[in-house]
Amino acid sequence: MDISFQEVQLSSLTPPQLKMLHDQLDQEIEVLTSSMQSLKGAQNQFNESKQSLKTICPKNVGKDILVPLTGSLYVPGQLADADSVLVDIGTGYYAEKTLTDADEFFKRKIDYLKQQMDKLQPAVQQKFQSRQVVYEMLQAKVMAHAKQQSKK
Amino acid sequence: MANVNKQVKLELQKELDEFQKAQKDIQKCVETRQKLEAQLTENKVVKEELEILEEGANIYKLTGPVLVKQDLSEAKSTVSKRIEYISAEVKRQETSIADLEKEQEKHREKLGKLQSQMSPPAVKA
């Protein structure tokens, strides 16, 4: 019902108007997909942190590790404490958490991001569909126009 | 007649300039509001995390390159205050956006009027 209403309106638009609508949808799609990507990236980071937590366990206390000082400089060290970790909770605050709490923290974040992505996904899909409909209408109009021109 | 037209033209230009200025200001305000809202959500998330922590948990605040230990209650009150401040700031931006939109609408109306005054000679020309 919604779509048929849309089509009735679309067919009354001129090709330049359709083109404008198409470009606008293009922009909206770009914004939405880039948000999706940032969400995905954030989720990946949390996932990595969650995975890294697994290596910090009582079994590994005292083992040699390489601690990154920068991305390309490491110093040797030993794992001294396998009970708690410091977690960045945002705006410059870090909280000391037990391993299980930290694991739950990451799980919570990942789930939250998944929820946000699930909310965004239908909107993206819908925009893609609208763009397709507009594009087809534009094509049809241009073709019709070309035919008329050739008749003359 | 030509003189009147010139005057209308000048006025039209003036109105147009003011209209565009209002438009720019609105855009700026909208951008600021967006940034503030992002900060607000981040702070809300931090507050939620702080609420989950147990009493006496160790909290550190990143100041420059060092982590400084901080009281949980202190951190909570800081974040709450921040949320209060940012919310107020968002409201302030919203009122100024509404005001600017009203102003823009006024300019738009005036522009329309001036344009209708202009159009008859323009058609003749």
Side-chain angles (χ1 to χ4, degrees), chain B residues 2-58:
Chain B
N3 239 344
V4 173
N5 219 342
K6 208 174 172 187
Q7 214 181 345
V8 174
K9 226 178 197 169
L10 272 175
E11 244 176 281
L12 195 72
Q13 190 57 48
K14 206 183 113 214
E15 280 301 319
L16 195 64
D17 284 346
E18 277 178 53
F19 175 76
Q20 277 167 345
K21 192 181 160 290
Q23 208 166 23
K24 255 188 207 162
D25 288 345
I26 288 175
Q27 214 174 354
K28 245 189 241 165
C29 281
V30 169
E31 271 169 33
T32 323
R33 192 191 56 184
Q34 251 168 8
K35 271 183 208 153
L36 285 169
E37 258 161 15
Q39 282 177 10
L40 191 62
T41 17
E42 195 183 355
N43 275 291
K44 275 185 185 158
V45 169
V46 174
K47 192 174 158 66
E48 271 170 37
E49 282 307 321
L50 289 174
E51 294 299 336
I52 289 171
L53 289 170
E54 276 166 40
E55 205 58 49
N58 286 332

Side-chain angles (χ1 to χ4, degrees), chain A residues 89 92-94 96 108-109, chain B residues 45-46 49 58 60 62 70:
Chain A
I89 55 172
Y93 282 107
Y94 287 72
E96 198 173 327
R108 210 161 49 229
K109 292 286 154 187
Chain B
V45 169
V46 174
E49 282 307 321
N58 286 332
Y60 301 86
L62 188 70
Q70 218 180 28

Side-chain angles (χ1 to χ4, degrees), chain A residues 49 51 63 65 86-87 138 140 144:
Chain A
S49 302
Q51 290 297 320
K63 278 194 184 165
I65 50 172
L86 275 182
V87 184
L138 180 59

Side-chain angles (χ1 to χ4, degrees), chain A residues 141-152:
Chain A
K141 288 242 169 176
V142 170
M143 294 270 267
H145 188 70
K147 243 186 201 169
Q148 262 190 348
Q149 288 286 318
S150 65
K151 263 185 202 165
K152 278 177 193 169

Side-chain angles (χ1 to χ4, degrees), chain A residues 15-62:
Chain A
Q17 282 174 323
L18 283 170
K19 179 83 178 83
M20 248 166 64
L21 190 59
H22 184 262
D23 290 348
Q24 196 192 330
L25 284 167
D26 246 358
Q27 269 177 14
E28 282 173 17
I29 286 172
E30 210 170 297
V31 171
L32 286 173
T33 40
S34 83
S35 320
M36 273 301 257
Q37 256 160 11
S38 340
L39 285 172
K40 190 88 201 130
Q43 203 189 29
N44 278 343
Q45 271 187 347
F46 282 127
N47 247 324
E48 257 174 56
S49 302
K50 196 167 174 288
Q51 290 297 320
S52 307
L53 266 183
K54 283 188 184 149
T55 57
I56 301 178
C57 58
K59 187 183 89 196
N60 282 342
V61 170

